[in-house]
Amino acid sequence: MDILEQIRNEIEVCWVNPELGRYREVREGLRFSEADVDEAAERLARFAPLIVRLFPETSSSEGVIESPLVRVPALKSALEAQYGAMPAGEALLKCDSHLAIAGSVKARGGIYEVLKHTEDIAIAEGLIGSDYSVPGGDYSVLADHKDLFAGYTMQVGSTGNLGMSIGIMSAALGYRAVVHMSADAKEWKKALLRSHGVDVREYDSDYSVAVAEGRRLSDEDPRSYFVDDEKSKDLFLGYAVAGRRLHAQLDEMGIVVDEKHPLVVYLPCGVGGAPGGITFGLKNEFGDNVHCFFVEPVASPCMLIGLASGLDDGVDVFDYGLSGLTQADGLAVGRASGLVCEMMRHTLAGEMTVADYKLFRHMVSLHDSEGIIIEPSACAAIEGYMAMADECRGARYMERFEGTSPTHIMWATGGSLMPEEIVKEYLHNGRR
Ligand SMILES: *Cc1c(COP(=O)(O)O)cnc(C)c1O
């Protein structure tokens, strides 16, 4: 059965990108450059004093929102005991599930975009200079101008976590915030946002509709800004900053990445912005020595369909007879970002898909072995790692690592804001 036929039948697959190129050659043709990532990193540094002031829990990291990278040997052993051999090499977990403020990977791109727009407004309003100078101070003074920001609106369409990141950050700065939530969004995420004073609009339809409606309403209002998950350069670059941060963390842990020590990274994918931006950031750091795989639910593999068919955002999961329905709310996207498809065409190593029931099982395995809680969407990363040992999926790709010592990173994209009773319910599901 060819891969598109397997996708139609909701069979778990591993797709290896036939168009993966040598990064040295590929990077020249890309729409963004490393200089764009530098600029994003510098902007985040300018805002660090403001972040500390608004979110004192970030003071220990001096306003840098970054997550731990941890070794997970007990998870590897637990998976081995349950399912058989795991891929050769060490296993690490990147805990974006525990990023400050938003509790998900969206604390990277989402917060970055709100800050970027805030800087634009602050310059236009004369609060800071066009050279980013602040007379006698730093960006923390922006926290004194909530009344001014209250005259502006931030809007976003979301399946949940992007809305939480944009909503919480916007509300903290004083903006009016409107989040357009698709049908997949979890009740607790809507409730949490409302508790921050965010205007949550609910839609009975899928993510694209929530985005389109948010975009339309925002366009009608000159003082409203729309964070466009499908098209945003700023979101993408905010995510990309993760690459150099991860590089520094690996150095600190004494983990080398080179030809003899390849890095294999598993990233849960929705519309593509978060895993795409991170992949771009990692490729800039490690070139051909990093191999990035996206992982999507079998019912909603929009990026896989876009890339494997070559149609990018010209096709959606419904065209393939798929429902788009998944418990992995962070990944419940029917149509991929065209921008990200373009950026990944020659940089992504491949993709895996995962059946929903496994996400809950993996959540239990991680919790019982390492005591770490992440949300079901994020557990897709664990399946990506496991698929690399599967004869029918990633094992063929692993052959190229023979004679090397690979390091595997499962990118845990969210979860620390989940209420306790929701965690209990998910773990119960997973144990059944
Ligand atoms: C948003 C999200 C992703 C994927 O990010 P996209 O930019 O939509 O591809 C993965 N995991 C979680 C938990 C998310 O919230």
Side-chain angles (χ1 to χ4, degrees), residues 206-225:
D206 99 303
Y207 174 72
S208 309
V209 175
V211 170
E213 189 58 12
R215 193 187 283 134
R216 187 184 71 75
L217 287 171
S218 188
D219 287 350
E220 282 176 359
D221 175 359
R223 290 174 79 83
S224 173
Y225 181 80

Side-chain angles (χ1 to χ4, degrees), residues 252-264:
E252 240 166 71
M253 294 170 81
I255 297 172
V256 176
V257 178
D258 60 20
E259 226 164 286
K260 289 272 160 230
H261 305 84
L263 186 64
V264 197

Side-chain angles (χ1 to χ4, degrees), residues 388-403:
M388 282 309 242
D390 184 342
E391 288 302 327
C392 302
R393 291 185 286 161
R396 282 280 297 284
Y397 196 91
M398 278 302 287
E399 284 171 13
R400 74 185 63 196
F401 299 137
E402 229 160 88

Side-chain angles (χ1 to χ4, degrees), residues 105-106 161 268-275 330-331 375 377 413-414:
V105 68
K106 306 299 192 306
N161 285 341
C269 175
V271 76
L331 318 182
E375 64 186 271
S377 298
T413 43

